[in-house]
Amino acid sequence: MAQDVLPSLRAFIAKELILEYKMNQIAVAEWLGVSQPAVSQYVRQLRGFNESLMKHETVNKEIKNLCGKVAKHIGNADGRSEDTSISIGSPSITKE
């Protein structure tokens, strides 16, 4: 199950961060913990593409919300401290 879902979520997140938030592939790759070529394949839908997951209303909403937080966090280059916790549904995660 995770082998199918995780690449799809990474692909969705990578595509959203690059196309909507104009982030570069290297920054997205570093945040996701994958290579830049993997991000390139995600964006071109050669890897991790799952149309049904991308069309799922709740997943779509949560991924867009997550990407907004990630873009804000990564774009915070002035060193200010801010809340970097990101939650999807109930659990909370912090990316350092």
Side-chain angles (χ1 to χ4, degrees):
M1 177 78 173
Q3 300 93 320
D4 298 328
V5 175
L6 290 179
S8 298
L9 289 173
R10 287 186 193 116
F12 197 160
I13 291 167
K15 195 167 185 178
E16 181 75 11
L17 289 173
I18 290 166
L19 298 179
E20 296 298 322
Y21 293 94
K22 310 301 182 211
M23 293 179 63
N24 67 53
Q25 291 183 5
I26 294 170
V28 172
E30 287 175 0
W31 193 84
L32 288 173
V34 298
S35 67
Q36 178 276 321
V39 170
S40 177
Q41 290 181 347
Y42 290 148
V43 172
R44 292 181 293 142
Q45 298 179 347
L46 299 175
R47 180 178 187 173
F49 181 70
N50 182 325
E51 188 173 358
S52 63
L53 183 65
M54 294 180 116
K55 288 184 176 183
H56 191 280
E57 187 177 334
T58 303
V59 172
N60 196 308
K61 179 182 169 188
E62 291 294 334
I63 293 295
K64 288 181 182 290
N65 183 34
L66 170 72
C67 288
K69 291 179 180 183
V70 168
K72 183 177 179 180
H73 173 69
I74 292 175
N76 183 22
D78 62 6
R80 287 182 296 131
S81 176
E82 68 178 61
D83 180 16
T84 59
S85 63
I86 300 168
S87 65
I88 302 174
S90 300
S92 228
I93 58 171
T94 300
K95 182 71 176 175
E96 298 183 28

